[in-house]
Amino acid sequence: MRARIAIATVLCVVIVLLPVITNVLENYVISTPGQYTQPSTTTFIAGGGEVRFTGCSESHEGADTLIVCPSKIFSSKAGIVVRVNITVKFKHAQPCPYSNWKISVGMPSNAEIVNESKTELVDPYTAVKYFYIRIQGNGTVTVVYNYGSGCPYGTEERVTVKYYVVENVSSVTLEQSTSLTESTTSAYNVFEGTPNVNLESKSLQINGASIEVRGSWVCNGKELKWRDVLTELSQLPPTTKVVVEAVYEEGAWKATKIEFNNTTCVRGEG
């Protein structure tokens, strides 16, 4: 009888803790050396060493656009893990009649995929995905976006990421080269239209997409807070066109630049 009670108690504890255990396992990734957990959407490096890269490559054979960042990676040694970000910009809002579209990552050469996210539709016109790749030598990996079955606007978009292991990374001269930790490698989008402002959520909505406006801003040389920027946007005539550049970070679109009526606002620190 005591044995049965003990077994029942253990089963109850396992059932209660199962969601927690599952969440931990889903976010666990093995790296060399040591371990790391899934960070934010900016490109991540593990394994030490030095890395340089070129910005992004895109494919626009059909109506939609596939964007992959970075497009070339130069690593100072084998074993370094780098995050690659994927964005698909749809011409037509999702869901559409050809909704079985998909984003896939091919088998890399001289490298291995150590983690791959699910594809996430962040707004009706944008899907994002990322993967981590451990580079062991010179090679390539191909990212493919397949249009939905029967879609008359295209069949597939294909981008190849190239990577190299070089002895002296600092000697590599790259046009538009930059640090992998910069936010330019995050999912990026430009929104155009008439905004609906929500001060409570510190955001604005354009064409169904919600974009957060946070921190301090500089508008035509004048320093403003996020509330001032949103208040000014809320007072615009209803037909005023606004252009917002944003990056997808920590599960949300965040504005980095806003243009309207010959005014340009750029996000500062904070």
Side-chain angles (χ1 to χ4, degrees), residues 172-190:
V172 177
T173 302
L174 301 175
E175 186 177 356
Q176 298 178 332
S177 67
T178 183
S179 166
L180 274 175
T181 57
E182 292 185 6
S183 62
T184 51
T185 58
S186 301
Y188 168 85
N189 206 351
V190 178

Side-chain angles (χ1 to χ4, degrees), residues 51-72:
V51 178
R52 299 189 74 185
F53 77 106
T54 56
C56 303
S57 290
E58 66 177 61
S59 175
H60 184 50
E61 298 295 326
D64 302 335
T65 304
L66 170 66
I67 304 168
V68 182
C69 309
S71 61
K72 288 184 181 180

Side-chain angles (χ1 to χ4, degrees), residues 146-205:
N146 292 105
Y147 290 75
S149 301
C151 179
Y153 304 108
T155 53
E156 72 171 26
E157 306 294 342
R158 183 180 292 263
V159 167
T160 298
V161 178
K162 300 178 180 180
Y163 42 86
Y164 310 87
V165 175
V166 296
E167 193 170 310
N168 187 3
V169 172
S170 59
S171 67
V172 177
T173 302
L174 301 175
E175 186 177 356
Q176 298 178 332
S177 67
T178 183
S179 166
L180 274 175
T181 57
E182 292 185 6
S183 62
T184 51
T185 58
S186 301
Y188 168 85
N189 206 351
V190 178
F191 301 89
E192 298 184 25
T194 303
N196 292 318
V197 175
N198 188 326
L199 288 173
E200 290 186 5
S201 63
K202 302 180 182 179
S203 67
L204 54 86
Q205 289 77 41

Side-chain angles (χ1 to χ4, degrees), residues 217-224 263-266:
W217 290 74
V218 178
C219 299
N220 287 0
K222 182 180 179 181
E223 294 185 5
L224 299 174
T263 298
T264 300
C265 298
V266 179

Side-chain angles (χ1 to χ4, degrees), residues 4-22:
R4 292 180 181 178
I5 294 174
I7 293 171
T9 301
V10 172
L11 287 175
C12 289
V13 172
V14 171
I15 292 171
V16 171
L17 294 178
L18 186 59
V20 177
I21 296 171
T22 302

Side-chain angles (χ1 to χ4, degrees), residues 20-244:
V20 177
I21 296 171
T22 302
N23 184 61
V24 170
L25 290 175
E26 286 178 346
N27 288 285
Y28 181 78
V29 182
I30 297 177
S31 176
T32 302
Q35 295 116 4
Y36 66 92
T37 55
Q38 191 169 295
S40 64
T41 55
T42 53
T43 297
F44 176 78
I45 309 171
E50 186 180 357
V51 178
R52 299 189 74 185
F53 77 106
T54 56
C56 303
S57 290
E58 66 177 61
S59 175
H60 184 50
E61 298 295 326
D64 302 335
T65 304
L66 170 66
I67 304 168
V68 182
C69 309
S71 61
K72 288 184 181 180
I73 305 166
F74 292 82
S75 171
S76 63
K77 67 175 186 177
I80 290 181
V81 176
V82 177
R83 173 175 171 148
V84 178
N85 295 288
I86 306 166
T87 304
V88 171
K89 295 183 179 179
F90 302 102
K91 183 174 180 59
H92 305 100
Q94 300 298 318
C96 71
Y98 317 98
S99 57
N100 65 335
W101 53 266
K102 66 177 182 178
I103 302 171
S104 58
V105 180
M107 185 69 68
S109 57
N110 288 325
E112 63 175 319
I113 305 298
V114 295
N115 191 32
E116 184 176 342
S117 76
K118 295 180 179 179
T119 299
E120 181 181 0
L121 189 65
V122 296
D123 65 59
Y125 293 91
T126 310
V128 297
K129 181 183 177 70
Y130 61 83
F131 64 92
Y132 292 95
I133 185 169
R134 181 182 290 119
I135 299 171
Q136 302 293 3
N138 297 349
T140 61
V141 60
T142 300
V143 176
V144 179
Y145 160 67
N146 292 105
Y147 290 75
S149 301
C151 179
Y153 304 108
T155 53
E156 72 171 26
E157 306 294 342
R158 183 180 292 263
V159 167
T160 298
V161 178
K162 300 178 180 180
Y163 42 86
Y164 310 87
V165 175
V166 296
E167 193 170 310
N168 187 3
V169 172
S170 59
S171 67
V172 177
T173 302
L174 301 175
E175 186 177 356
Q176 298 178 332
S177 67
T178 183
S179 166
L180 274 175
T181 57
E182 292 185 6
S183 62
T184 51
T185 58
S186 301
Y188 168 85
N189 206 351
V190 178
F191 301 89
E192 298 184 25
T194 303
N196 292 318
V197 175
N198 188 326
L199 288 173
E200 290 186 5
S201 63
K202 302 180 182 179
S203 67
L204 54 86
Q205 289 77 41
I206 296 180
N207 298 328
S210 180
I211 309 157
E212 295 182 359
V213 179
R214 303 294 181 93
S216 60
W217 290 74
V218 178
C219 299
N220 287 0
K222 182 180 179 181
E223 294 185 5
L224 299 174
K225 296 297 184 182
W226 66 266
R227 182 178 294 274
D228 302 320
V229 175
L230 285 178
T231 299
E232 188 167 350
L233 289 173
S234 69
Q235 296 172 349
L236 293 174
T239 57
T240 303
K241 180 182 177 182
V242 174
V243 179
V244 180

